[in-house]
Amino acid sequence: MPTALITGITGQDGSYLAELLLAKGYRVVGIVRRSSTTPYERIAHLVDRVELVSADLLDQTSLVDAIAETAPDEIYNLAAQSFVATSWTQPVLTGEFTAIGVTRILEAMKRAAPRARFYQASSSEQFGKVIETPQKETTPFYPRSPYGVAKVYGHWITVNYRESFGLYAVSGILFNHESPRRGLEFVTRKVTDAVARISLGMADHVDLGNLDARRDWGFAGDYVDAMWRMLQQREPGDYVVGTGKTWSVRQLCEEAFSYKGLDYAKHVRHSAKFVRPAEVDLLVADPSRAQRDLGWEPKIDFRGLVRMMVDADIARHAALLAARSKD
């Protein structure tokens, strides 16, 4: 039984990855930060099947101890300050977690489990002000936020440890991937949650920023399979993962609202508050290398993803309303 260690196991990607690895017969260990509360909502259905150890990307010693104690065969670093907007209000913290934190866990792996295989969660936000379209593994980075800058550091320090110390360390440059487990602050979930609340009579509008920004959106459950496949290759390498198709935020709104018979134009309001200081206008992947080398293809298309998320948010709010009516 191989052992996989996941940082960020309580997040969207961590929960889907844990499900995938458990189904493949892995022993799954998740790193969690010590806290007076236990925010394990996304892995509540898995908590009796995974092991949780306390460590922190800000604390080198705790990471060395966690890796030495669990002796992982594979390490997936999914933990980060992952919301782009927050990276402008908390740029130093974003750098500590999302950039330097990668160095800490690579250093811990080098000391305690140098034969393990390491996956780093890179991001399409590294491309930022894109130099070419679509974006592939050789496209130069031009990040446009503290988050994107931090992710570029994490990407290159992973390359550096691979080349300097012979570690099996790879980065997956994942384009936007969503699900019903996505945080409510992200635009896809903000839209689908608004559709749910408006259709149930709980709200009448939602405020959004740039409706013309375009992204390559896929399903997180598909993308964690690509992560796993990267660590099964004979030689380590970095891969772009995406659908190769791009949609605007406006099209996202049209798809989500029309699914429930609503006109998005009557319910979506523009707010300058949600416009980024430096906008990223267009991101779209060229996933041909991942398709060729990894045999990976996305299974859920954009429409299916949006409808899945709307249905989940409606079910969640309906259950909350039903519970309140009983009180």
Side-chain angles (χ1 to χ4, degrees), residues 18-33:
E19 287 177 349
L20 175 77
L21 296 176
L22 287 168
K24 291 181 179 295
Y26 278 67
R27 170 194 174 214
V28 176
V29 183
I31 285 182
V32 293
R33 299 177 68 193

Side-chain angles (χ1 to χ4, degrees), residues 10-13 15-16 41-42 78 81-84 123-125 147 174-193 215-220 223 276 305 308-309 312-313 316:
T10 61
Q12 170 190 253
D13 292 7
S15 65
Y16 282 112
E41 177 183 354
R42 294 184 182 95
L78 310 185
Q81 190 301 100
S82 60
F83 188 42
V84 174
S123 168
S124 60
E125 287 288 333
Y147 170 79
L174 270 55
F175 281 64
N176 294 65
H177 46 289
E178 320 295 318
S179 76
R181 301 177 193 175
R182 190 57 141 156
L184 285 166
E185 68 272 23
F186 290 87
V187 68
T188 48
R189 187 72 192 291
K190 189 175 181 181
V191 168
T192 62
D193 182 71
R215 295 292 184 271
D216 183 332
W217 278 302
F219 174 50
Y223 285 40
R276 296 180 177 186
L305 171 64
M308 174 202 304
M309 294 174 67
D313 278 323
R316 180 174 58 88

